[in-house]
Amino acid sequence: MSLKNTILTSLIESEKSGYDIFRQFQNSLNYYWNASYQQIYKTLDTILEQGLVSVRTVKQEQKADKKLYSLTEKGIEELENWVHEPTSQQKTKNDLLVKLTLARKFGSAAIIKQLQQRLSEKENELLNYRKIERAYFTPKPSAETHIKNVTYYLALRNGITHCEVEINWLHESIDMLSSNQ
Amino acid sequence: MSLKNTILTSLIESEKSGYDIFRQFQNSLNYYWNASYQQIYKTLDTILEQGLVSVRTVKQEQKADKKLYSLTEKGIEELENWVHEPTSQQKTKNDLLVKLTLARKFGSAAIIKQLQQRLSEKENELLNYRKIERAYFTPKPSAETHIKNVTYYLALRNGITHCEVEINWLHESIDMLSSNQ
DNA sequence: CAGGACATGTAATTGGTTACATGATTGC
DNA sequence: GCAATCATGTAACCAATTACATGTCCTG
């Protein structure tokens, strides 16, 4: 379960509530991790039982109580071990490519529509990444930049470059299918 | 469950055994889908109950019996409906990017090792794709090419281009982390 | 006054992995 | 003789989604 380790990693920065972690996943982090809030709350329960995090409850006026989680020594050890373990790739599951092969059975009109939909999603995604890039990484980090910013920059670059090739591929595919109808 | 639809799609070509489908996933298909054989056998049971496929058992000399599955009318309808449904993106879960952010906590030596490991995996993957490209898609398909080959070619191109940017990103990341130690 | 952000959860179901289980053939 | 390929499955467990459930504050 790597959601566990992703949550622990997020808690290195500061103590956080389940909702804080959820928002972080939804915003800047969404090019490298994704989880629903139900999953996050459940996992927090589990790692609390395992002693990897501790919790303190903060009473808030006019808002529901907040449970702030922070890393324990055991949690830090867990993370350090995990860094050294082999890292397996996420298994590809690309519905769009499967549907693409169905074009010859059911015609390409429907699949072209799906590709165009995905194209507009990806274009939006890229705009967001570019916004983050401009705001936090101009000028581009160099060898002298603090390592924290370097790793964030590299993660963002990963999101950007994959997004770009996907957009190119979508254009190419839409063109080819359109001229082949 | 899109594994269901992926299996149905695979059965459009011809009737297949669970093992045939598994091999197809392992080989050429692995740039767009991935599943274990346990999952495939289980799903085949489910879609047989749902009437989306039919089965016939083939006795084989000197080998275990084979169960060959083929699409039913209902299965084809199911697929046609699925093509028109909105297609959601696979949720990103990138362990390597999470580990990358841990470099500032635990040092970059361990993470550089992980990046190099991934690099060699990706380089192998790319060589395989190139082999398929040379064998089946020279010269490159054009507007006149049969649609079947066009869709297969596009799926392969998707695998190749993503593999390439990942390799570039890995080089860039290893360089940047190394000079920042 | 409606919708979105904040804030936390439970329950049921489905999807996926890991371990267990068997047995023949073919090629090195 | 050992590993890989062919061929099929069960059982236990872990991961993830969907639906249900509640309540406040703030902004337009």
Side-chain angles (χ1 to χ4, degrees):
Chain A
M1 184 180 34
S2 286
L3 177 55
K4 180 179 81 177
N5 296 298
T6 306
I7 288 174
L8 293 175
T9 300
S10 170
L11 292 176
I12 279 188
E13 294 170 11
S14 60
E15 57 171 9
K16 279 178 188 146
S17 69
Y19 194 76
D20 290 334
I21 296 169
F22 174 59
R23 266 185 321 166
Q24 199 187 2
F25 280 12
Q26 288 235 305
N27 302 338
S28 54
L29 269 147
N30 79 356
Y31 44 94
Y32 55 102
W33 210 274
N34 235 303
S36 63
Y37 61 91
Q38 293 94 332
Q39 239 182 305
I40 293 167
Y41 286 125
K42 212 176 154 202
T43 305
L44 281 169
D45 278 352
T46 310
I47 61 181
L48 183 62
E49 264 174 49
Q50 293 172 346
L52 304 175
V53 292
S54 59
V55 70
R56 64 187 188 96
T57 305
V58 177
K59 305 224 179 231
Q60 294 184 116
E61 296 152 32
Q62 304 162 324
K63 266 192 200 174
D65 288 357
K66 222 181 192 175
K67 285 169 145 188
L68 289 175
Y69 295 86
S70 42
L71 270 183
T72 61
E73 271 308 309
K74 204 178 160 192
I76 294 171
E77 273 169 44
E78 173 76 24
L79 269 182
E80 189 159 16
N81 291 332
W82 180 63
V83 170
H84 293 276
E85 278 166 27
T87 314
S88 61
Q89 293 188 48
Q90 185 182 18
K91 295 199 168 169
T92 309
K93 281 165 199 180
N94 196 329
D95 285 37
L96 208 53
L97 290 183
V98 178
K99 287 189 181 178
L100 187 64
T101 68
L102 289 171
R104 71 174 194 280
K105 181 85 181 173
F106 302 118
S108 35
I111 174 73
I112 289 175
K113 220 179 256 177
Q114 303 270 349
L115 292 169
Q116 277 161 343
Q117 175 57 35
R118 179 62 55 89
L119 180 59
S120 92
E121 285 167 27
K122 283 287 168 185
E123 278 169 345
N124 274 324
E125 213 180 300
L126 185 59
L127 283 179
N128 269 321
Y129 294 162
R130 290 290 186 205
K131 222 179 274 174
I132 298 170
E133 195 184 25
R134 270 196 307 277
Y136 298 104
F137 301 107
T138 32
K140 186 185 152 176
S142 68
E144 290 73 40
T145 310
H146 189 279
I147 181 128
K148 177 175 165 173
N149 294 318
V150 171
T151 58
Y152 284 170
Y153 174 73
L154 289 174
L156 180 64
R157 284 300 300 166
N158 192 275
I160 288 177
T161 54
H162 279 285
C163 206
E164 283 174 342
V165 294
E166 186 70 9
I167 288 172
N168 288 339
W169 179 83
L170 285 163
H171 279 301
E172 190 190 344
S173 301
I174 291 167
D175 286 353
M176 247 177 141
L177 283 186
S178 301
S179 64
N180 201 298
Q181 262 175 339
Chain B
M1 182 179 34
S2 287
L3 176 55
K4 180 178 82 177
N5 297 296
T6 306
I7 289 175
L8 292 176
T9 301
S10 169
L11 293 176
I12 280 188
E13 294 171 13
S14 60
E15 56 171 10
K16 279 177 187 147
S17 70
Y19 194 77
D20 291 334
I21 295 169
F22 173 60
R23 265 185 320 166
Q24 198 187 3
F25 280 12
Q26 289 235 304
N27 302 339
S28 54
L29 269 148
N30 79 356
Y31 43 94
Y32 56 102
W33 209 273
N34 235 303
S36 62
Y37 62 91
Q38 292 94 332
Q39 237 182 307
I40 293 167
Y41 286 124
K42 213 177 151 198
T43 305
L44 280 170
D45 278 352
T46 310
I47 60 181
L48 183 62
E49 264 174 50
Q50 293 171 346
L52 304 174
V53 292
S54 59
V55 70
R56 64 188 188 95
T57 305
V58 177
K59 305 223 179 227
Q60 294 183 116
E61 296 151 33
Q62 304 163 323
K63 265 192 201 175
D65 288 357
K66 220 181 195 176
K67 284 169 148 188
L68 289 174
Y69 295 86
S70 42
L71 272 183
T72 60
E73 271 308 309
K74 204 177 160 192
I76 294 172
E77 274 169 43
E78 173 77 24
L79 269 183
E80 190 160 14
N81 291 332
W82 180 63
V83 170
H84 294 274
E85 278 167 28
T87 314
S88 61
Q89 292 188 49
Q90 185 182 18
K91 295 200 168 169
T92 309
K93 281 166 199 180
N94 196 331
D95 285 36
L96 207 54
L97 291 182
V98 178
K99 287 189 181 178
L100 186 65
T101 69
L102 289 171
R104 71 173 195 279
K105 181 84 182 175
F106 302 118
S108 36
I111 174 73
I112 289 175
K113 220 179 257 179
Q114 303 271 350
L115 293 170
Q116 276 162 343
Q117 175 58 36
R118 179 63 55 88
L119 181 58
S120 92
E121 285 167 25
K122 283 288 168 185
E123 278 169 345
N124 275 324
E125 212 180 302
L126 186 58
L127 283 178
N128 270 320
Y129 294 162
R130 291 290 186 204
K131 223 178 274 175
I132 298 170
E133 196 183 26
R134 271 196 307 277
Y136 298 103
F137 301 106
T138 33
K140 186 185 152 176
S142 68
E144 289 73 42
T145 310
H146 189 278
I147 181 130
K148 177 175 164 172
N149 294 318
V150 170
T151 58
Y152 283 170
Y153 174 74
L154 289 174
L156 180 65
R157 283 301 299 165
N158 191 275
I160 288 177
T161 55
H162 279 286
C163 206
E164 283 175 343
V165 295
E166 185 70 9
I167 288 172
N168 287 339
W169 178 83
L170 285 163
H171 279 302
E172 189 190 344
S173 300
I174 291 167
D175 286 354
M176 247 177 140
L177 283 184
S178 301
S179 64
N180 202 298
Q181 263 175 339

